[in-house]
Amino acid sequence: MQDIFGHLPDGTPVTRFTLRNPLGTEVDLMTYGAAIVACRTRDRDGCLGDIALGFSDLDSYVNHSAYFGAVVGRYANRIANARFSIDGQTYTLAANDGPHHLHGGRRGFDKHVWNATAFEHEERRRVTFFRVSPDMEEGYPGHLAVQVQYTLTDGDELVVDYAANTDAPTAVNLTQHTYFNLAQESAVDVLDHRVQINASAFTLVTEGLIPTGDIVPVEGTAFDLRAETAIREAIDQPHEQLRLARGYDHNFVLDRTGEGLVLAARLLEPTTGRTLEVSTTEPGLQFYTGNFLDSTLRGRSGRPYPRRSGLCLETQHFPDSPNRSAFPSTILRPGKTLITQTVFRFGVRRDAHVPPFPRIALFRAS
Ligand code: BGC
């Protein structure tokens, strides 16, 4: 199914596609930012709820920069001092995060209309988005052809396939920036979600959330999320890195023994029983707990999004990799095709513990 989600100020139409599988899961996508606009999944009672933060109208996507649901590029995350070099040639990028470069610059991939084709055949339904990022867009060298394909399977997986190639050496790091709240998009916060991240180390950051270059073990710290942990219990621990980022906004170095898909994270929301599993071929996962949301943006349901009302599980390479030769390389060269995959698997856990309601005693027995 497809319709027109809205028009840009210059009249360009933006198409919205809805993918629906036999389980009833629905994912709305749009050509602006190749973004996930909504994602409706079942809770443990079979009721559909929208678990992706976003706006009800296109103008809000155009006028704000929260990256709700978008594909982020050409380089997701930060590049220190908005500068990097390839083969001795230095490139200056748009500085849109203080002196640093964030999520592709002032007008990254999230702020463009992509071409799209939809395909549906029995158990496969998908939308493929395509765009060519011109040479020197936001300062990056080379024309970059990018394809992002979303497939919703009968097994309740949303498979995101990325492919890119270039006509000149360039830096590329693509991710999906959906903010999830498995309780429902309009729920107050994500603090009762239980998270598990399969990472024994993370990249340390300094002011401006720029990596120091150190990869440090999580063992014994608030960053050790290898066992299921309630976010509320971990996020306010007195840890310098949590203070710097006002919560989690860090790149976890995923544990893997080889190439291919690896389970990166699991999420459980206990009141609805909804679960989300994220697997990826990427080496890192930026876990961001919506620390910079501040109630100024109003979501689809009409309610403002306060701090920590959504969380992102952004599969990607490490931040500032073009300036860090010890990190896995993000340089793409002509003749090579970048291919990565991330799989979001929706589910429910029936045995999940439901927190008592109300959480405080309203009346004391006399
Ligand atoms: C970054 C945050 C940033 C957010 C919205 C996340 O991917 O890690 O630092 O505030 O995107 O821009």
Side-chain angles (χ1 to χ4, degrees):
M1 197 186 90
Q2 70 185 66
D3 63 356
I4 299 297
F5 183 58
H7 291 86
L8 295 182
D10 69 0
T12 308
V14 168
T15 306
R16 170 173 50 190
F17 301 88
T18 300
L19 303 179
R20 185 171 200 279
N21 72 11
L23 296 168
T25 301
E26 292 179 334
V27 180
D28 292 350
L29 305 157
M30 66 167 167
T31 50
Y32 192 72
I36 294 176
V37 187
C39 183
R40 293 173 288 274
T41 68
R42 285 154 302 119
D43 66 9
R44 67 154 74 74
D45 299 322
C47 298
L48 281 186
D50 190 351
I51 60 165
L53 273 57
F55 299 117
S56 55
D57 63 302
L58 181 62
D59 284 357
S60 299
Y61 282 96
V62 174
N63 296 327
H64 300 293
S65 296
Y67 306 91
F68 286 147
V71 166
V72 177
R74 191 179 289 202
Y75 197 97
N77 218 316
R78 291 169 173 84
I79 296 182
N81 300 310
R83 231 183 10 241
F84 70 98
S85 304
I86 306 178
D87 304 335
Q89 170 83 41
T90 299
Y91 297 95
T92 304
L93 305 170
N96 61 327
D97 191 37
H100 310 300
H101 178 83
L102 173 67
H103 291 339
R106 294 195 185 90
R107 190 168 176 224
F109 287 7
D110 57 301
K111 291 271 183 276
H112 287 272
V113 177
W114 296 54
N115 294 314
T117 50
F119 167 94
E120 187 150 358
H121 181 68
E122 292 176 354
E123 81 282 8
R124 281 186 304 161
R125 50 204 75 70
R126 68 168 56 128
V127 180
T128 308
F129 293 99
F130 180 79
R131 89 172 280 262
V132 177
S133 164
D135 182 33
M136 298 314 287
E137 184 177 50
E138 302 291 318
Y140 291 97
H143 296 84
L144 185 79
V146 191
Q147 184 178 292
V148 180
Q149 181 171 278
Y150 294 90
T151 307
L152 182 64
T153 69
D154 283 4
D156 238 4
E157 293 167 327
L158 182 66
V159 182
V160 192
D161 288 294
Y162 302 83
N165 53 33
T166 180
D167 62 1
T170 191
V172 191
N173 187 28
L174 302 171
T175 195
Q176 220 301 324
H177 205 285
T178 293
Y179 292 67
F180 292 101
N181 188 321
L182 300 188
Q184 181 116 333
E185 160 267 331
S186 55
V188 176
D189 61 47
V190 288
L191 295 178
D192 286 326
H193 285 54
R194 301 181 69 82
V195 68
Q196 186 201 336
I197 298 180
N198 289 332
S200 305
F202 74 106
T203 50
L204 213 60
V205 289
T206 178
E207 298 289 343
L209 305 187
I210 298 297
T212 61
D214 299 310
I215 296 180
V216 295
V218 296
E219 183 87 50
T221 74
F223 288 82
D224 194 345
L225 302 173
R226 290 173 294 179
E228 194 183 279
T229 307
I231 295 174
R232 186 185 295 286
E233 284 162 21
I235 197 166
D236 288 323
Q237 286 185 30
H239 192 297
E240 175 60 10
Q241 287 288 305
L242 291 174
R243 190 195 61 76
L244 267 176
R246 304 184 64 223
Y248 290 104
D249 194 353
H250 294 82
N251 168 65
F252 286 74
V253 177
L254 297 173
D255 291 340
R256 53 164 67 249
T257 47
E259 293 182 356
L261 275 181
V262 74
L263 180 69
R266 278 203 177 96
L267 203 58
L268 163 71
E269 199 291 307
T271 58
T272 59
R274 285 199 185 91
T275 60
L276 176 67
E277 276 180 15
V278 184
S279 305
T280 188
T281 58
E282 293 280 17
L285 177 89
Q286 183 83 10
F287 176 42
Y288 171 55
T289 43
N291 313 314
F292 298 117
L293 295 174
D294 58 3
S295 298
T296 52
L297 302 179
R298 211 165 267 280
R300 218 168 8 255
S301 56
R303 292 185 54 176
Y305 288 138
R307 185 164 181 234
R308 298 177 176 169
S309 52
L311 63 82
C312 302
L313 297 164
E314 306 162 43
T315 55
Q316 55 186 256
H317 271 60
F318 306 170
D320 202 28
S321 297
N323 293 311
R324 293 275 166 202
S325 54
F327 289 177
S329 174
T330 48
I331 304 302
L332 182 66
R333 293 182 181 275
K336 295 266 184 244
T337 301
L338 171 83
I339 294 188
T340 74
Q341 187 180 69
T342 291
V343 180
F344 297 97
R345 176 198 272 265
F346 310 112
V348 283
R349 219 162 88 185
R350 282 171 211 288
D351 64 335
H353 162 73
V354 182
F357 179 83
R359 289 207 195 107
I360 49 162
L362 294 179
F363 303 104
R364 271 184 205 287
S366 51

